[in-house]
Amino acid sequence: MKSHSTIAVANPSALGPVTPEEAQLLAKLDLARLPRHVAVIMDGNGRWAQRKHLPRPAGHRSGTQTARTTIETCARLNIEALTLYAFSVENWRRPKTETDFLMQLLREYLRQEMPLIQRNNIRMRFLGRSRELPAGVQQDMREAVEKTAKNTGMVLCLALNYGGRAEIVDAVNEIVSRRSSDNRNAPVTEEEVARHLYTAGLPDPDLLIRSSGEMRVSNFLLWQIAYAEILVTETLWPDFNRARLLEAFVEFQKRERRYGGIREGSSDSEVPARVAGK
């Protein structure tokens, strides 16, 4: 992974035509200080559909359009990595009709969005227990990784059948297995755990965005978000447009990142912010 100092500074013209609101937000941004890794909990598809008196699948399908906008915007702004929480290990508790639809929607998305992924030089990764997913989904995932393996731009991670606790358990079990075979019994370090996480090789998220207003992290990247800036917006995911993403970046740049320390004379409050939906 490239160091942050070698990453090209974002060029706002790469976004193409912008709305007046987007132009105002871009003017407030220091494009040299964008987050390296953005993680997103895409929440609110069902409520969006309910408010519009539509079936839940309509909300999920609309949410894929928002994902497309988010992915392309981040790629064009030279964000190093973007992780989207697409399907958790807990989501299997939903009705089978909904989980079957989500799996089919994922397969459609991977096929239909490949031209956009390639056009934006994006490399794909998948986080989670992929072996528990349907065989067809696994095949599409392998093909997406293979097709984008030589791309050199943003890394797009889709968290599928993902759970933060499951990830840590998997990492620990892999460490134990390797140590048993090597007859080693040294203490486990944080660096060793990080090397065995699904996100190995990527920087930890600088910014965690959650749509729909829920103030929880929902078992997402529990290890990696230890010092991430958390931003919760009331906006439901299908309504999270490019302006809302730029607004999140503006808010991110207002934060003083202390990593557990504190500057003399400053406040020690570290309460996550909630941004009003628009």
Side-chain angles (χ1 to χ4, degrees), residues 44 46 63 77 112 130 143 145 160 198 209 216 218 220 235 238 244:
L77 288 176
Q112 294 173 3
S130 58
E143 291 179 1
V145 170
L160 296 169
Y198 304 147
I209 299 170
R216 56 179 179 268
S218 295
F220 184 46
T235 304
R244 299 289 73 75

Side-chain angles (χ1 to χ4, degrees), residues 239-257:
D239 292 328
F240 190 84
N241 56 24
R242 188 163 64 175
R244 299 289 73 75
L245 179 63
L246 296 175
E247 186 178 56
F249 292 161
V250 170
E251 172 62 27
F252 169 79
Q253 292 188 347
K254 294 177 181 178
R255 307 282 182 88
E256 179 186 337
R257 307 192 71 201

Side-chain angles (χ1 to χ4, degrees), residues 202-250:
L202 294 176
D204 287 342
D206 303 291
L207 173 63
L208 170 65
I209 299 170
R210 178 166 191 147
S211 59
S212 87
E214 302 292 346
M215 297 292 285
R216 56 179 179 268
V217 297
S218 295
N219 199 20
F220 184 46
L221 300 178
L222 297 179
W223 179 281
Q224 297 91 331
I225 63 171
Y227 289 104
E229 297 298 324
I230 300 176
L231 185 142
V232 177
T233 173
E234 299 287 345
T235 304
L236 301 179
W237 180 245
D239 292 328
F240 190 84
N241 56 24
R242 188 163 64 175
R244 299 289 73 75
L245 179 63
L246 296 175
E247 186 178 56
F249 292 161
V250 170

Side-chain angles (χ1 to χ4, degrees), residues 4 24 78 83 97 102 108 170 187 232 277:
H4 193 37
Q24 290 177 357
N78 293 321
T83 298
T97 53
L102 289 171
E108 290 178 14
D170 288 349
V232 177

Side-chain angles (χ1 to χ4, degrees), residues 55-256:
R56 285 179 62 87
H60 294 309
R61 194 170 291 280
S62 183
T64 64
Q65 306 302 313
T66 301
R68 175 188 295 130
T69 299
T70 301
I71 291 166
E72 189 161 43
T73 301
C74 286
R76 293 187 176 188
L77 288 176
N78 293 321
I79 300 298
E80 191 171 342
L82 171 66
T83 298
L84 301 179
Y85 202 5
F87 192 89
S88 74
V89 292
E90 292 83 11
N91 285 156
W92 293 113
R93 301 170 186 168
R94 297 184 179 185
K96 187 174 185 302
T97 53
E98 183 169 352
T99 58
D100 286 348
F101 173 81
L102 289 171
M103 290 298 110
Q104 183 58 39
L105 184 63
L106 170 65
R107 299 193 67 185
E108 290 178 14
Y109 184 83
L110 291 176
R111 291 191 294 267
Q112 294 173 3
E113 297 303 308
M114 190 51 62
L116 177 142
I117 297 295
Q118 299 287 31
R119 185 166 61 248
N120 287 281
N121 193 30
I122 294 168
R123 181 158 54 93
M124 293 199 69
R125 284 178 63 169
F126 294 90
L127 315 180
R129 292 177 170 173
S130 58
R131 288 176 293 181
E132 298 175 0
L133 291 166
V137 174
Q138 292 185 49
Q139 178 62 31
D140 289 344
M141 291 164 61
R142 285 191 294 269
E143 291 179 1
V145 170
E146 292 169 1
K147 288 176 180 177
T148 64
K150 295 183 180 180
N151 291 346
T152 58
M154 183 182 80
V155 178
L156 170 62
C157 301
L158 293 185
L160 296 169
N161 197 32
Y162 175 87
R165 289 181 175 181
E167 177 180 26
I168 294 170
V169 168
D170 288 349
V172 170
N173 281 331
E174 187 173 345
I175 292 170
V176 170
S177 177
R178 292 193 177 191
R179 290 192 167 204
S180 296
S181 62
D182 296 340
N183 291 317
R184 289 194 300 135
N185 194 28
V188 175
T189 65
E190 288 190 15
E191 291 75 17
E192 188 173 14
V193 173
R195 288 196 302 271
H196 290 84
L197 295 174
Y198 304 147
T199 54
L202 294 176
D204 287 342
D206 303 291
L207 173 63
L208 170 65
I209 299 170
R210 178 166 191 147
S211 59
S212 87
E214 302 292 346
M215 297 292 285
R216 56 179 179 268
V217 297
S218 295
N219 199 20
F220 184 46
L221 300 178
L222 297 179
W223 179 281
Q224 297 91 331
I225 63 171
Y227 289 104
E229 297 298 324
I230 300 176
L231 185 142
V232 177
T233 173
E234 299 287 345
T235 304
L236 301 179
W237 180 245
D239 292 328
F240 190 84
N241 56 24
R242 188 163 64 175
R244 299 289 73 75
L245 179 63
L246 296 175
E247 186 178 56
F249 292 161
V250 170
E251 172 62 27
F252 169 79
Q253 292 188 347
K254 294 177 181 178
R255 307 282 182 88
E256 179 186 337

